[in-house]
């Protein structure tokens, strides 16, 4: 069967009327230097616009064409096998253009001020001449179909900036699926020349760990809630943070924000660093009053310089690539297992027996795995 994909040749063009499955035989060679005069007698038939071919995507992304970048991300996020294949091909063709940004993860409970801070931080970076991409990983969109990070009009000022690209969280699937999409989106943004990638996630559940495994620097944003216990944020999240920021240090909150900073500074002293050789700090800021934003960036950029000098930066990136490989294998195997029709048929019965205490989990797992590996349909 002939591939539906078109070749990325710069001199071969395909007319709009190529039939399904039509291949190279339908290509037209166009001489370079010839331009359309605009008064050609034959008008193109008004047909549905086709997706650009892989070559166009690759060139467009390298040229920071935001429309093509957004479309390529849509391919990566798509559940259609054809789209996904083309997305994968684009990623492969762009290899060699990845890795040139500083990747920063930002987490915190809902209402901490993540989007307000990201907008101010983004604007601050653009003032310095950086190109900034903002992505989100939102596990709530998977579980409830709602989205904590994407359902409001967010970062309006930042989104109007030419040097900024904002992409909300991909929805659907598992956290593994969402993180794969986000990671590939991050790579495409790097190929498009974005210098700083800010990846936002909500401080609930497993997503912080996932985002930590994608980024160089991880920032935990909190706000003074009044009590000593800061929003029930788990110790584990603080452990993986390179910087803790107490936001909303303004107005009446200023004093309690300072107290929270002191308390937290004491507490983090006993934690291991998230990044070898880097001492975690606790600072305050006010995203609304734009105070402390420059300090946050100074800390992030001095982190970048320090880990690049010590070799930790490269080491971590390489380790992340390996972990990522393992997680892709994991997702693939799990996907195959649970999509297997025999397993699917048998699963409710095994589950019921487990729930009734009739069989051991070991027996249940063994029986399902046997079904899978026996290849019975
Ligand atoms: P997110 O859910 O973490 O993204 O939080 P948002 O950025 O949407 O902010 C939640 C609320 O806190 C909004 O009403 C913001 O205006 C407010 N907020 C954000 N930053 C600050 C700040 O620095 N000071 C004060 N007083 N309010 C803030």
């Amino acid at each position: 069967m002939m591939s539906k994909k078109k070749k990325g040749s710069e001199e071969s063009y395909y007319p709009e009327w190529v039939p399904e499955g039509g291949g190279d035989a339908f290509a037209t060679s166009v001489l370079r230097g010839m331009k359309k005069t605009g008064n050609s007698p034959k008008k193109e038939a008004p047909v549905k616009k086709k997706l650009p071919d892989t070559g166009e995507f690759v060139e467009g992304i390298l040229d920071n064409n935001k429309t093509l970048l957004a479309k390529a991300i849509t391919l990566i996020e798509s559940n259609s096998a054809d789209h996904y294949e083309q997305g994968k091909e684009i990623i492969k063709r762009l290899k060699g253009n990845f890795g040139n940004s500083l990747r920063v993860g930002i987490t915190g409970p809902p209402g901490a001020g993540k989007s307000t801070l990201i907008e101010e931080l983004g604007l601050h970076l653009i003032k310095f001449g950086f190109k900034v991409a903002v992505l989100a990983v939102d596990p709530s969109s998977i579980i409830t179909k709602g989205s904590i990070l994407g359902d409001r009009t967010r970062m309006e000022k930042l989104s109007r900036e030419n040097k900024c690209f904002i992409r909300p969280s991909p929805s659907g699937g598992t956290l593994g699926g969402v993180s794969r999409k986000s990671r590939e989106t991050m790579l495409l943004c790097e190929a498009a020349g974005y210098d700083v990638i800010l990846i936002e996630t909500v401080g609930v559940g497993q997503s912080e760990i996932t985002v930590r495994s994608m980024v160089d620097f991880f920032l935990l944003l909190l706000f003074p809630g009044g009590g000593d216990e800061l929003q029930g944020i788990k110790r584990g999240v603080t452990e993986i943070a390179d910087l803790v920021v107490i936001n909303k240090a303004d107005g009446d909150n200023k004093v309690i924000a300072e107290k929270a900073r002191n308390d937290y500074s004491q507490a983090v002293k006993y934690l291991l660093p998230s990044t070898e050789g880097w001492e975690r700090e606790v600072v305050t800021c006010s995203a609304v009053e734009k105070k402390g934003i420059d300090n946050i960036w100074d800390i992030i950029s001095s982190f970048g310089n320090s880990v690049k000098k010590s070799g930790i930066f490269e080491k971590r990136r390489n380790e992340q690539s390996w972990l990522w490989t393992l997680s892709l294998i994991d997702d693939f195997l799990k996907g195959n297992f649970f999509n297997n029709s025999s397993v699917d048929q048998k699963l409710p019965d095994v589950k019921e027996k487990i729930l009734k205490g009739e069989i051991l989990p070991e027996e249940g797992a063994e029986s399902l795995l046997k079904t899978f590996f026996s290849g019975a349909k």
Side-chain angles (χ1 to χ4, degrees):
M1 212 183 97
M2 228 181 266
S3 161
K4 256 193 261 173
K5 260 180 258 152
K6 295 172 180 177
K7 271 190 185 167
S9 161
E10 282 146 14
E11 281 154 9
S12 292
Y13 291 82
Y14 292 77
E16 293 289 343
W17 43 265
V18 172
E20 274 290 286
D24 290 353
F26 290 85
T28 314
S29 284
V30 178
L31 286 176
R32 282 199 177 278
M34 288 182 75
K35 281 189 184 150
K36 259 189 166 178
T37 56
N39 47 13
S40 146
K42 269 191 194 165
K43 279 252 185 256
E44 279 164 1
V47 284
K48 232 175 122 187
K49 262 203 158 174
K50 293 204 166 169
L51 270 176
D53 67 28
T54 305
E56 283 174 72
F57 271 123
V58 169
E59 272 180 41
I61 291 167
L62 289 174
D63 208 25
N64 188 24
N65 176 328
K66 282 194 198 176
T67 312
L68 285 177
L69 174 61
K71 274 192 183 161
I73 296 170
T74 306
L75 289 181
I76 280 167
E77 293 178 353
S78 166
N79 292 323
S80 129
D82 276 3
H83 288 171
Y84 177 55
E85 281 305 314
Q86 194 180 6
K88 255 194 344 200
E89 192 53 36
I90 295 169
I91 298 263
K92 280 190 197 149
R93 296 259 298 263
L94 284 168
K95 192 180 143 189
N97 298 286
F98 303 145
N100 297 324
S101 76
L102 191 62
R103 304 167 180 173
V104 177
I106 297 180
T107 194
K114 292 180 294 301
S115 52
T116 316
L117 174 74
I118 289 172
E119 173 151 58
E120 291 310 326
L121 187 59
L123 292 169
H124 182 73
L125 292 173
I126 287 168
K127 258 197 305 198
F128 274 101
F130 291 118
K131 273 168 67 181
V132 183
V134 179
L135 317 176
V137 175
D138 183 357
S140 69
S141 64
I142 304 161
I143 301 157
T144 61
K145 301 257 188 273
S147 159
I148 299 180
L149 298 176
D151 57 358
R152 288 163 280 159
T153 313
R154 308 165 87 242
M155 306 175 202
E156 249 181 82
K157 279 180 282 169
L158 189 58
S159 62
R160 284 199 293 269
E161 290 287 336
N162 193 30
K163 285 188 156 195
C164 176
F165 180 80
I166 301 182
R167 185 80 180 187
S169 180
S171 59
T174 57
L175 178 58
V178 166
S179 53
R180 175 191 61 75
K181 294 167 187 175
S182 303
R183 184 176 179 277
E184 289 170 359
T185 299
M186 172 176 87
L187 298 180
L188 292 183
C189 290
E190 288 183 342
Y194 288 88
D195 308 291
V196 182
I197 318 259
L198 303 174
I199 307 186
E200 178 185 13
T201 192
V202 216
V204 286
Q206 184 62 24
S207 64
E208 306 92 323
I209 313 278
T210 307
V211 171
R212 167 74 272 187
S213 73
M214 287 184 207
V215 297
D216 307 308
F217 185 91
F218 198 58
L219 185 159
L220 169 61
L221 189 71
L222 300 171
F223 63 103
D228 283 341
E229 199 60 31
L230 277 151
Q231 297 100 50
I233 277 283
K234 285 158 281 138
R235 181 190 149 105
V237 184
T238 316
E239 259 167 356
I240 58 171
D242 295 299
L243 173 67
V244 179
V245 178
I246 317 277
N247 188 29
K248 308 195 184 183
D250 45 49
D252 294 343
N253 273 334
K254 231 174 171 169
V255 178
I256 49 167
E258 197 48 43
K259 182 175 181 314
R261 193 190 71 77
N262 274 328
D263 292 348
Y264 241 71
S265 300
Q266 292 304 317
V268 300
K269 272 188 194 155
Y270 304 102
L271 299 179
L272 287 171
S274 168
T275 302
E276 207 182 314
W278 178 256
E279 205 174 313
R280 183 189 292 106
E281 269 186 78
V282 184
V283 299
T284 57
C285 83
S286 166
V288 158
E289 292 186 354
K290 308 181 200 343
K291 283 188 185 139
I293 311 292
D294 45 356
N295 184 38
I296 293 172
W297 178 244
D298 286 349
I299 294 172
I300 299 174
S301 59
S302 88
F303 171 94
N305 293 335
S306 147
V307 289
K308 278 180 185 163
K309 214 167 136 195
S310 67
I312 297 288
F313 180 86
E314 207 187 332
K315 186 171 160 235
R316 172 180 263 154
R317 287 245 176 133
N318 292 339
E319 282 168 2
Q320 287 177 336
S321 294
W322 175 237
L323 285 178
W324 193 252
T325 311
L326 294 179
S327 109
L328 287 175
I329 293 172
D330 208 45
D331 286 349
F332 177 81
L333 291 177
K334 265 194 205 153
N336 269 355
F337 180 80
F338 289 108
N339 288 327
N340 179 284
S341 57
S342 312
V343 170
D344 193 46
Q345 262 176 26
K346 194 164 184 167
L347 200 127
D349 180 46
V350 171
K351 185 176 173 187
E352 200 183 322
K353 286 185 175 138
I354 300 269
L355 293 179
K356 285 185 178 161
E358 290 171 6
I359 57 169
L360 292 169
E362 285 79 359
E363 293 172 304
E366 195 185 339
S367 132
L368 287 173
L369 286 166
K370 262 191 188 151
T371 306
F372 179 68
F373 285 112
S374 73
K377 291 279 164 262

